[in-house]
Amino acid sequence: MRPPDSGLHVEEAAVTLGGNPILRGVSLSVAPGEFVALLGPSGCGKTTLMRVVAGLQPPASGRVTINGRDVTRAHPAERDVAMVFQNYALYPHLTVRQNIAVPLAMRRLNGWQRAPLLGGLFSRAARAEIARDVAAIAEPLGLAHLLDRKPAQLSGGQRQRVALARAVVRRPAVFLLDEPLSNLDAALRVSTRREIVEIHRRAGAASVYVTHDQAEALTMADRIAVMQAGEILQLGTPEAIYRDPADLRVATFIGSPRINLLPAAVGEDGVLRLDGAALPLTTPARGAVTLGVRPEDWRIAPAGLPARVAHVEFLGDHELIHLDAGGAEIVMRAEPELRVARGEALHLAFDPARALLFGADGRRLPMAQREAAHV
């Protein structure tokens, strides 16, 4: 069993730049072997949080511990943290073998042992061990045949794998990845996702992955921290973040196409009403609310919410049907076998068990199903 203080812990970290708050008392814990994605739009503070962990940005307040050791004011080199940057940051004059070996040489060899001439005479055993470790990480990453090439001779995907190999070869306590796939094409991003997850599993480190791409976060992470405006809005499993969002900001940020939001009202009887029609849902709330329904949770029914087809997008294995429901735009995900035409009038129903309800402040509201015809 791991000790309770193992892994990475950030407690109430705050950062202010130019008088503007960038992080607002953020707390985050990542266990050894856990993969957590920091997901949010540009400027939300996720890269700043990573820099605080790495020691590149001192927090104005708060605390960072790694495996029980307070590293809040420690130098980056003293934190046992490895980081992969968006631009790879490889040494162009070194071969792949030498690039991967850099962190091992810095850790295991002293200054004169790293000297190109005399150092080699006194550090043969250490250098041989470094060479074995480089070969061991290069083989599973498909880099063994590229070890003598320089970065300019590699593709973008190959350079990214070199950067990953260099980061994990010394088995750090914390593995940080700052949007490492943003420079790759779409097809290569998909395959590299699997490689990164596999590298993480072998390394066994507490891994933090910064991204604005929800597909990366949903497919790779054990847990996702959704960030906006310098705060973590919600931290949970990918399924919980998608199906059980804590507030409207999380619900609208996660999901492609976005969740459908419809203005609704709750009467004194607690029954939810949409355009005056009673829905099979009740809530303790009263007054104006917002009903959220994911595109895949709509269906065409004999009776329900009247709508008219505005546009149909064919996407191979499914279609996106854009509908006008009394001025509200609804997007419905449907099988290609469902044949509808532009301008066609129909009725929509949704799965009440999957509906989401939000109050005027954006917070999630409780709901219960009641016995009634589905709308």
Side-chain angles (χ1 to χ4, degrees):
M1 180 178 294
R2 298 187 181 103
D5 59 354
S6 63
L8 167 67
H9 299 276
V10 180
E11 302 170 27
E12 296 294 326
V15 173
T16 301
L17 298 177
N20 298 314
I22 308 301
L23 294 182
R24 305 169 185 265
V26 172
S27 296
L28 176 70
S29 293
V30 185
E34 186 179 25
F35 193 109
V36 171
L38 298 181
L39 176 65
S42 298
C44 71
K46 54 188 186 295
T47 294
T48 301
L49 178 55
M50 177 172 284
R51 289 172 58 84
V52 167
V53 173
L56 304 176
Q57 173 65 59
S61 60
R63 185 167 177 255
V64 179
T65 61
I66 296 176
N67 287 343
R69 186 168 64 95
D70 190 334
V71 297
T72 310
R73 304 299 168 191
H75 188 274
E78 301 170 347
R79 296 187 177 216
D80 198 14
V81 169
M83 190 167 182
V84 176
F85 297 92
Q86 182 176 340
N87 62 358
Y88 315 141
L90 301 178
Y91 297 104
H93 62 290
L94 299 182
T95 65
V96 169
R97 187 191 314 275
Q98 292 166 330
N99 264 283
I100 298 174
V102 164
L104 297 180
M106 296 299 292
R107 171 172 286 194
R108 300 178 188 177
L109 304 178
N110 58 35
W112 65 265
Q113 286 178 321
R114 294 196 296 270
L117 297 177
L118 294 178
L121 298 176
F122 301 97
S123 58
R124 288 178 180 172
R127 289 176 181 272
E129 184 180 359
I130 289 172
R132 286 193 295 271
D133 288 347
V134 169
I137 195 66
E139 181 64 35
L141 286 176
L143 297 173
H145 65 295
L146 302 174
L147 288 174
D148 294 320
R149 295 188 188 180
K150 292 187 175 179
Q153 300 172 292
L154 305 177
S155 68
Q158 290 169 335
R159 287 196 292 270
Q160 183 58 274
R161 278 183 278 160
V162 175
L164 291 167
R166 185 181 60 186
V168 301
V169 70
R170 63 179 178 86
R171 300 187 178 279
V174 176
F175 188 25
L176 306 177
L177 302 100
D178 189 5
E179 305 214 41
L181 306 183
S182 59
N183 292 329
L184 305 182
D185 61 53
L188 194 54
R189 279 202 299 270
V190 173
S191 61
T192 309
R193 282 183 211 161
R194 296 192 297 268
E195 292 175 358
I196 290 177
V197 172
E198 186 56 36
I199 289 169
H200 155 76
R201 287 173 180 161
R202 285 199 299 267
S207 297
V208 180
Y209 185 97
V210 163
T211 182
H212 65 273
D213 187 328
Q214 58 178 280
E216 291 179 10
L218 290 169
T219 57
M220 298 171 67
D222 298 315
R223 290 190 298 157
I224 299 173
V226 180
M227 292 192 67
Q228 285 190 24
E231 298 177 308
I232 293 179
L233 303 181
Q234 187 172 351
L235 175 64
T237 65
E239 184 178 6
I241 293 290
Y242 185 79
R243 282 296 173 193
D244 194 23
D247 69 16
L248 192 56
R249 292 171 295 175
V250 176
T252 53
F253 188 76
I254 298 292
S256 181
R258 287 176 53 157
I259 190 171
N260 297 283
L261 299 176
L262 302 170
V266 183
E268 288 304 317
D269 56 0
V271 175
L272 188 67
R273 287 176 170 83
L274 184 64
D275 285 340
L279 302 183
L281 296 167
T282 62
T283 176
R286 297 292 184 269
V289 294
T290 299
L291 176 68
V293 181
R294 297 281 183 193
E296 64 272 20
D297 294 331
W298 290 104
R299 69 180 187 277
I300 296 175
L305 182 66
R308 189 172 297 275
V309 178
H311 177 61
V312 178
E313 293 181 78
F314 177 73
L315 297 173
D317 63 337
H318 70 279
E319 291 180 341
L320 295 180
I321 303 174
H322 298 255
L323 304 114
D324 180 3
E329 181 184 351
I330 291 177
V331 178
M332 170 184 172
R333 190 185 193 279
E335 299 298 324
E337 292 75 18
L338 179 64
R339 302 296 182 186
V340 294
R342 187 169 180 265
E344 181 179 345
L346 43 78
H347 291 87
L348 298 177
F350 61 85
D351 182 353
R354 290 180 173 244
L356 304 171
L357 195 64
F358 304 94
D361 60 356
R363 300 301 297 174
R364 180 82 171 278
L365 296 173
M367 284 192 308
Q369 288 185 239
R370 67 183 181 89
E371 291 299 327
H374 289 189
V375 174

